[in-house]
Amino acid sequence: MGAIMGKYLLRLYITGRTPQGNRAIANLQRICQTELAGRYEMEVIDVIEDPQAAEDARIIATPTLIKALPPPLRRIIGDLSNKDKVLIGLDLSGPEDPNGDHHG
Amino acid sequence: MAEPKKLPAVTKLPTGIDGFDHIGLGGIPAGRTTLVAGTAGSAKTIFAAQFLAEGIRQYDEAGVFVTFEESGEDIRANVGSLGWDVAAWEAEGKWAFVDAAPQPGDEVVVSGAFDLGALVVRVEAAVRRIGATRVAIDSLGAVFSRFENEVIVRAELFRLASALKGLGVTSIMTAERTNEYGEISRHGVEEFVTDNVLILRNVLEGEKRRRTMEVLKFRGTVHQKGEYPFTIMPDQGIVVIPLSAIELDQRSSYTRITSGNIELDAMCGGGFFRDSVILVSGATGCGKTLTSTEFIAGGVAQGERSLLLAFEESRDQLSRNASGWGRDFDRYEREGLLKVVAVYPEAAGLEDHLIRIKREIDSFKPNRVAVDSLSALERVSSIKGFREFVISLTSFIKHKEIAGLFTATTSSLMGGESVTETHISTITDAIILLRYVEMFGEMKRGLTVLKMRGSAHDKDIRAFTIDGRGMHIGAPFRNVTGILAGHPRHVPPAEIERLGQLFSNEGPLGD
């Protein structure tokens, strides 16, 4: 496993409470609870309420998950339904399971 | 029968881009999105930025620039060379960037479905924040290459376009093309996002780059058809040259002005017309520069201002020539009655020359313009480009109601016609031919007024001499034929008499 000691700071940007946004929140919570239990902080930002936050983080697609900490900063776009891709994005995928994506 | 339903007319928003609003017949459709498509290097980004810049400069309309490719920093620097201070406009709340360019070193992973909702939100927020009425988006191709899922991107671009419509802003989206003449856009879908398509081209034509733009469609409204040349001026940006869009609404003046030569005035029936364009054609050394010098001096004598555009000789050379004929260019310039602009034809493209000439005319406000020689400009352009240049310059000069005298050099010494002549003879109001005439082992010079629109004129081919006081036109060549064809032939007096009787019933003048 990668950064074992580091605390994860995750920001999830969504555009309103759409089914897609809610799915992303649920998927992220599930992944964090299983993979990062006790060592993550998660923030959900609705860009409709706070467009400036989207401006500052240069967000164009939603949902976007930003791994602010530990470095390097990473962006994961989509409703996070492909768990393997999320783990790659979070630098949590071990070399033992490099299985490709199942669907587009 | 039912009354045809009256649809709300599409109004136009003037872009303020010089010449463009002429071909768009008022601008681009207001409150809608126009796609600006072009190959790499076709000036799409400049067009997009200028749309906002002119909005601020001319109409006090704020604009939002959405960039997918270059960073805001890069765009500020790039358009700074065109004289636009974007940072100052940003500080005044007239210009806002929505920077959607990829972040350097950013690795993006895609996991599942997404939309471009945040982009739409950011654009809307920026538009509201500065009260923008114009939006430029550069470029759609970058969005496609960034997000692999074309279906999503296409749907999201439609969403963006409809959001812009909802905001009531007039917008421009740029898109890449792979060929100058082929598919409208690279991904084949960009043009469906909008109802209006403008194409920018940058075509290699006879070793010369030629930029043109064409309005492909403006749904529900009218526009000029066809390609129009444009150029990019260092301190102005895009300048479109609306050739055939120029209306033939010049008034025709009956006021006569002097050619600067009394005998030539007589041959023309009392001088040139105030707002006419005169072409002087002849071989090298035949007296063309002299004719333009006398034209200028004739104006100076009346207190008129002249602009001399020289493409073959330097200002000093011209001044020396003039003093050899008793005309003092230095004095004319000191008195503010003459401005000599000597430019090497190769120094710029023809479109750039045209814009510079127009600017000189606008700033100096001359009564007379002499171009010596127009033919020199042929070599920096394609034939088509040259013809367009001449038409455009001619109509500009006529529009200003000033007199223009252009010289053209024929390729052979003895006669024939110049390429310049072929292209512009129908546009000019008067044509004066200067010819060498070989007579018994001696070179003489001949002059004739070939055409003088709207006036009777002398049909003779007259001999003329040049001395320290200028041109002196004398008697007609009576016993020579074939001068214009370049094969002068001596004719015995008896033959002339016989020919004279043959046509004795014909009136003296007939055009």
Side-chain angles (χ1 to χ4, degrees), chain A residues 15 20 23 47-48 51 54-55 58-63 73-83 85-86 88-89 104, chain B residues 68 97-101 103 105-122 125-126 129 146-147:
Chain A
T15 310
Q20 196 165 264
R23 231 175 9 251
V47 301
I48 291 179
E55 195 64 48
R58 305 271 167 93
I59 306 290
I60 57 175
T62 45
L73 187 139
R74 290 229 193 275
R75 285 164 191 260
I76 306 165
I77 289 168
D79 62 11
L80 311 178
S81 55
N82 184 333
K83 186 179 171 185
K85 288 274 180 86
V86 178
I88 292 169
Chain B
F68 285 108
F97 276 111
V98 170
D99 193 339
Q103 302 300 299
D106 225 21
E107 243 181 80
V108 177
V109 177
V110 178
S111 166
F114 65 93
D115 58 40
L116 299 182
L119 174 70
V120 175
V121 168
R122 285 171 66 191
R129 182 161 56 81
R146 187 109 138 262
F147 304 103

Side-chain angles (χ1 to χ4, degrees), chain B residues 158-479:
Chain B
F158 274 107
R159 182 144 85 121
L160 181 60
S162 82
L164 291 169
K165 207 170 197 169
L167 288 166
V169 297
T170 305
S171 57
I172 278 180
M173 291 185 178
T174 68
E176 286 74 24
R177 308 184 71 204
T178 42
N179 291 307
E180 292 294 358
Y181 296 92
E183 302 269 308
I184 293 177
S185 58
R186 174 173 290 164
H187 299 275
V189 295
E190 293 94 319
E191 62 265 35
F192 300 110
V193 176
T194 71
D195 288 337
N196 315 298
V197 178
L198 171 72
I199 291 180
L200 305 183
R201 293 193 175 91
N202 185 16
V203 185
L204 194 59
E205 200 179 272
E207 297 184 6
K208 311 257 160 40
R209 280 276 164 203
R210 198 173 115 89
R211 292 182 183 279
T212 63
M213 64 172 68
E214 176 187 13
V215 177
L216 201 66
K217 60 170 179 177
F218 273 178
R219 185 160 294 167
T221 178
V222 289
H223 58 84
Q224 296 281 357
K225 314 263 187 310
E227 290 182 45
Y228 291 85
F230 73 94
T231 185
I232 298 162
M233 300 299 284
D235 50 347
Q236 198 179 353
I238 291 173
V239 180
V240 188
I241 299 157
L243 292 167
S244 43
I246 297 163
E247 292 152 37
L248 279 172
D249 63 352
Q250 306 99 357
R251 275 167 292 168
S252 260
S253 162
Y254 288 97
T255 314
R256 299 270 188 166
I257 59 163
T258 177
S259 67
N261 183 303
I262 297 163
E263 294 117 344
L264 183 56
D265 284 350
M267 287 181 77
C268 294
F272 300 145
F273 286 115
R274 164 85 280 162
D275 54 357
S276 64
V277 170
I278 303 109
L279 179 69
V280 180
S281 167
T284 176
C286 209
K288 295 187 303 299
T289 300
L290 170 58
T291 311
S292 59
T293 303
E294 294 200 333
F295 175 68
I296 290 163
V300 168
Q302 309 288 318
E304 294 181 356
R305 297 149 72 83
S306 296
L307 178 68
L308 172 58
L309 302 157
F311 294 103
E312 278 177 349
E313 290 175 287
S314 71
R315 195 220 146 275
D316 289 345
Q317 270 174 303
L318 286 163
S319 176
R320 196 180 57 207
N321 296 344
S323 65
W325 300 312
R327 307 294 197 277
D328 188 353
F329 273 13
D330 295 334
R331 177 172 66 84
Y332 301 165
E333 283 187 319
R334 271 199 311 276
E335 290 171 0
L337 296 175
L338 172 66
K339 181 167 184 188
V340 181
V341 179
V343 194
Y344 202 56
E346 278 81 4
L350 214 46
E351 287 84 5
D352 297 37
H353 279 304
L354 180 64
I355 311 279
R356 290 216 174 94
I357 292 172
K358 285 182 174 179
R359 267 199 223 164
E360 291 288 352
I361 292 173
D362 277 333
S363 69
F364 187 64
K365 299 197 188 339
N367 305 91
R368 299 170 176 229
V369 175
V371 179
D372 187 33
S373 78
L374 203 55
S375 322
L377 289 172
E378 270 172 31
R379 47 177 207 262
V380 299
S381 166
S382 65
I383 301 234
K384 188 177 166 199
F386 181 69
R387 188 200 301 257
E388 287 173 352
F389 167 82
V390 174
I391 292 172
S392 186
L393 179 59
T394 308
S395 46
F396 184 77
I397 287 178
K398 285 172 151 286
H399 205 81
K400 295 276 170 191
E401 295 176 32
I402 55 184
L405 185 134
F406 303 162
T407 69
T409 311
T410 49
S411 48
S412 72
L413 272 186
M414 297 300 288
E417 56 180 17
S418 64
V419 183
T420 309
E421 217 176 298
T422 322
H423 291 309
I424 73 164
S425 55
T426 52
I427 305 162
T428 55
D429 301 289
I431 299 177
I432 295 165
L433 295 184
L434 306 177
R435 289 285 186 267
Y436 284 114
V437 185
E438 189 192 334
M439 300 261 300
F440 308 110
E442 195 189 340
M443 268 309 200
K444 289 188 185 261
R445 290 182 170 96
L447 177 151
T448 189
V449 178
L450 192 66
K451 162 179 162 184
M452 181 75 197
R453 199 174 271 166
S455 169
H457 63 92
D458 190 313
K459 305 285 195 299
D460 288 330
I461 303 172
R462 291 175 179 269
F464 71 91
T465 54
I466 299 171
D467 66 14
R469 289 182 297 117
M471 181 187 281
H472 305 282
I473 303 174
F477 290 96
R478 276 298 176 217
N479 46 358

Side-chain angles (χ1 to χ4, degrees), chain A residues 10-61:
Chain A
L10 306 174
R11 291 200 188 100
L12 181 65
Y13 293 82
I14 56 168
T15 310
R17 291 283 168 168
T18 60
Q20 196 165 264
N22 290 334
R23 231 175 9 251
I25 295 169
N27 285 334
L28 182 60
Q29 275 167 343
R30 198 174 324 118
I31 294 167
C32 288
Q33 275 154 19
T34 53
E35 308 285 336
L36 293 169
R39 52 191 182 102
Y40 74 94
E41 211 171 285
M42 175 180 153
E43 192 184 348
V44 176
I45 297 150
D46 185 347
V47 301
I48 291 179
E49 285 163 22
D50 191 357
Q52 191 56 44
E55 195 64 48
D56 295 340
R58 305 271 167 93
I59 306 290
I60 57 175

